[in-house]
Amino acid sequence: MPATVELRDVRKSYGASDIIKGVSLTVAPGEFVVFVGPSGCGKSTLLRMIAGLEEITSGEVLFDGNIVNDLDPARRRVGMVFQSYALYPHMTVEQNIGFGLKLAKKPAAELKARVEEALRVLQLTALRHNKPSQLSGGQRQRVAIGRAIVRKPNVFLFDEPLSNLDASLRGQMRMEIGKLHQTLKNTVIYVTHDQVEAMTLADRIVVFEGGYIRQVGTPMELYERPANRFVAGFIGTPTMGFLETVAAHGGVDGLALSLAAGQPPIVTLPVSGPLPSGTPVTLGLRPEHCRISDPDTAALVGTVLMLERLGADTFAFVDLPGTATPLAVRLGAQERGVSPGQRVGFDFDPASAHVFDAEGNSLSSTAC
Ligand code: ADP
Ligand code: MG
């Protein structure tokens, strides 16, 4: 049965260093939740606390409403799959998958039935007699998942299971894990620093930074309504561009912004609540909401630094005054003739722009 997993103000410190600084979250039964965040932000530590492999400094972890803080990992009914999956090299695929059940002294008939089921679900039946050395990286990772599946866990915990695989295999395994979840309907908590994995697999994504949750939401909620600049910059490829501006005088119809105090506004955003003139405001612009235009009439003029041709899409990276990093623009079919070094106008759709205050919190009226 898929379990509910609840975290209540969970904290973790190693000596004087606070790693997890108070995390509260409820994962619904059967939900696929992905933890993302930069390396070192505490994702693995939190996952290991849920598994029972790491002591909880304070707070509570609950499975189906019961506090499991002091429950032995083996009794939590979690299946864990790590990045480095140590398979037994001298055992076949089916022996590797069944080994945990054998140790647990499961009856032979049950062991056989569960291993058969795992082989079938993971499409490993034809490879059942192979040793790990006779498998590809993806097949080995499937065996590691098989070892977790046969124990019929209530909760699956994955810690960057695909990061050792090459890009094409990662894409393929990503799809397989997604399909597997549709079949098994377990509760899954999946850690990754790969936002494509997070966006494709998650029912909900939890974005971590520095030991805190920065936002929780569906992939599209995070993409369309990032609560802060960190989430805005973390989700989306190419990444959201940021333009530093200041609130200008006027702007009765919305928020007028200039590149610097005293300069004419470059745009008026349909955002309620005027800000005092001179307030710093960061504009967040997605590549698909930006356009290049005629430099003689545009409010912003910059230089194309480079082009990224991905086949279906071409992105131009435009260097603008007031930007630390060039802004990505998705080019329309007729604009793909631009070349690096070219002077271009830069326009964007004001209604789609995100607005952040000096602390990086979203001021956009659509933000949650
Ligand atoms: P992530 O999985 O997000 O990359 P981790 O959870 O592995 O991050 O680590 C979070 C932080 O905790 C890191 O700064 C790491 O150095 C620290 N850390 C992890 N384990 C220990 C430990 N046993 N003792 C001290 N510090 C640790
Ligand atoms: Mg980790």
Side-chain angles (χ1 to χ4, degrees):
M1 281 289 288
T4 305
V5 178
E6 193 181 344
L7 309 177
R8 289 189 189 154
D9 196 23
V10 170
R11 291 165 193 267
K12 177 74 184 179
S13 308
Y14 291 110
S17 91
D18 300 332
I19 304 298
I20 305 289
K21 299 170 185 170
V23 165
S24 298
L25 178 75
T26 302
V27 180
E31 195 177 16
F32 199 124
V33 165
V34 176
F35 289 180
V36 291
S39 184
C41 70
K43 304 179 298 294
S44 296
T45 305
L46 192 57
L47 204 68
R48 290 170 56 80
M49 288 197 282
I50 295 168
L53 301 171
E54 197 81 62
E55 202 181 312
I56 298 165
T57 306
S58 72
E60 287 160 352
V61 176
L62 300 94
F63 285 8
D64 289 330
N66 302 310
I67 296 175
V68 297
N69 283 34
D70 299 318
L71 191 65
D72 191 64
R75 300 187 54 206
R76 293 191 187 196
R77 311 242 7 214
V78 299
M80 202 150 172
V81 181
F82 298 96
Q83 175 180 346
S84 51
Y85 37 89
L87 301 180
Y88 297 108
H90 59 286
M91 289 186 194
T92 63
V93 166
E94 63 180 352
Q95 287 166 340
N96 264 290
I97 291 177
F99 190 62
L101 295 182
K102 202 170 160 191
L103 280 186
K105 299 204 167 33
K106 287 281 174 212
E110 186 182 347
L111 186 149
K112 186 168 184 318
R114 288 208 204 171
V115 171
E116 289 300 331
E117 170 71 3
L119 289 169
R120 189 184 60 76
V121 168
L122 294 163
Q123 294 167 22
L124 287 168
T125 308
L127 300 167
R128 63 194 304 156
H129 301 304
N130 285 35
K131 300 270 176 67
S133 61
Q134 299 165 309
L135 301 175
S136 70
Q139 289 163 346
R140 279 181 221 161
Q141 190 54 289
R142 292 215 296 262
V143 177
I145 295 171
R147 284 195 307 202
I149 288 180
V150 287
R151 303 176 61 198
K152 294 200 182 293
N154 293 337
V155 182
F156 263 118
L157 303 176
F158 288 93
D159 193 353
E160 311 224 18
L162 308 185
S163 40
N164 279 348
L165 307 178
D166 66 46
S168 75
L169 201 50
R170 219 161 45 222
Q172 200 183 320
M173 280 303 294
R174 194 162 67 217
M175 226 177 305
E176 289 186 16
I177 289 175
K179 275 196 296 195
L180 195 62
H181 179 246
Q182 283 167 19
T183 310
L184 301 177
K185 300 186 166 58
N186 291 62
T187 305
V188 178
I189 304 178
Y190 186 106
V191 166
T192 180
H193 62 264
D194 180 326
Q195 56 128 336
V196 179
E197 263 173 43
M199 294 293 278
T200 25
L201 287 171
D203 292 319
R204 282 190 304 157
I205 297 176
V206 183
V207 183
F208 287 91
E209 187 202 17
Y212 294 103
I213 291 181
R214 300 307 306 269
Q215 192 172 1
V216 181
T218 65
M220 287 317 282
E221 277 167 4
L222 297 198
Y223 188 80
E224 290 170 351
R225 297 194 298 279
N228 51 67
R229 188 172 160 162
F230 180 79
V231 173
F234 198 79
I235 306 282
T237 324
T239 178
M240 183 186 281
F242 296 107
L243 189 63
E244 305 304 338
T245 64
V246 293
H249 281 299
V252 281
D253 307 326
L255 179 61
L257 298 171
S258 318
L259 284 182
Q263 288 192 14
I266 52 161
V267 66
T268 299
L269 301 181
V271 177
S272 58
L275 293 173
S277 168
T279 308
V281 169
T282 305
L283 274 181
L285 305 170
R286 295 264 183 224
E288 65 271 30
H289 300 140
C290 301
R291 292 177 301 279
I292 55 167
S293 61
D294 183 350
D296 295 331
T297 53
L300 286 166
V301 177
T303 309
V304 175
L305 280 190
M306 68 157 211
L307 294 167
E308 196 171 270
R309 299 187 196 280
L310 301 179
D313 281 317
T314 297
F315 296 94
F317 289 81
V318 179
D319 192 26
L320 291 174
T323 57
T325 32
L327 275 70
V329 179
R330 189 170 75 188
L331 299 182
Q334 68 285 6
E335 299 161 344
R336 295 187 181 175
V338 300
S339 46
Q342 191 174 327
R343 205 171 146 264
V344 291
F346 178 93
D347 281 318
F348 57 89
D349 171 21
S352 305
H354 298 264
V355 187
F356 303 99
D357 67 15
E359 279 74 50
N361 294 314
S362 177
L363 296 172
S364 302
S365 49
T366 49
C368 44

